[in-house]
Amino acid sequence: MQVKDVMTKNVEVVRPDATLEEAAKKMKALDIGPLPVCDGEKLVGVLTDRDITVRATAEGRDPKQTTVREVMSQELITIVEDQDVEEAAKLMQSKQIRRVPVLSRDKRLVGILSLGDLAQRTQDSKLAGKTLEEVSTPGKSSR
């Protein structure tokens, strides 16, 4: 089974020049924590609720003036849509990440693969369970 068969498609994104206030409002409306950051069709980062809290709020930055570009995570771990789901799950386990952006072969963002996608759409409860266990184990991350 390939990633494109189980990933979440039609992913909402935010522009790098958007303010943190705009991004936070979008996160609230969509009830999500991470937002891919795209400059046109190119994925340039990911903004998480933690980025806003730790990199902006804790430093006293003004969310109406601070741009997404200033606090987004730029070190991206991605997978490609025709990659095998088990291979993608192993990457999520080793990097301890719950969601990973999915790119096409021409580097366009086409989706997100999450733990929920693995659990609900693969019919492989062992794969989903092992991935959740590895992602949730404290102290294993290389970050």
Side-chain angles (χ1 to χ4, degrees):
M1 183 177 290
Q2 294 183 329
V3 169
K4 65 182 170 187
D5 300 321
V6 298
M7 71 183 186
T8 299
K9 299 172 184 160
N10 303 319
V11 177
E12 291 284 337
V13 301
V14 66
R15 299 177 330 279
D17 60 345
T19 66
L20 292 185
E21 180 181 48
E22 293 170 304
K25 285 180 178 179
K26 187 175 249 192
M27 288 174 170
K28 181 179 179 182
L30 298 169
D31 193 26
I32 58 172
L35 267 175
V37 181
C38 289
D39 193 356
E41 289 191 351
K42 183 179 180 192
L43 179 68
V44 295
V46 173
L47 180 72
T48 66
D49 46 3
R50 189 171 194 282
D51 291 329
I52 293 172
T53 302
V54 174
R55 293 186 182 152
T57 306
E59 294 176 4
R61 293 181 181 226
D62 181 353
K64 294 178 189 235
Q65 301 295 319
T66 305
T67 63
V68 167
R69 178 182 286 112
E70 295 174 64
V71 298
M72 69 184 186
S73 298
Q74 296 180 50
E75 293 179 26
L76 297 176
I77 297 167
T78 62
I79 54 178
V80 291
E81 63 185 332
D82 59 0
Q83 197 166 345
D84 183 78
V85 169
E86 288 187 24
E87 187 179 319
K90 286 179 184 173
L91 176 68
M92 292 169 77
Q93 292 168 25
S94 70
K95 299 297 183 179
Q96 286 195 298
I97 50 178
R98 297 173 183 270
R99 291 167 200 85
V100 61
V102 181
L103 304 178
S104 63
R105 286 287 172 186
D106 61 355
K107 305 289 187 211
R108 287 180 305 108
L109 179 70
V110 294
I112 294 256
L113 182 67
S114 70
L115 284 174
D117 295 329
L118 292 176
Q120 293 177 343
R121 299 183 181 144
T122 64
Q123 311 297 311
D124 187 342
S125 58
K126 286 184 182 178
L127 177 66
K130 177 152 178 57
T131 303
L132 176 60
E133 180 182 338
E134 292 297 319
V135 166
S136 301
T137 302
K140 291 187 69 176
S141 178
S142 60
R143 295 185 200 197

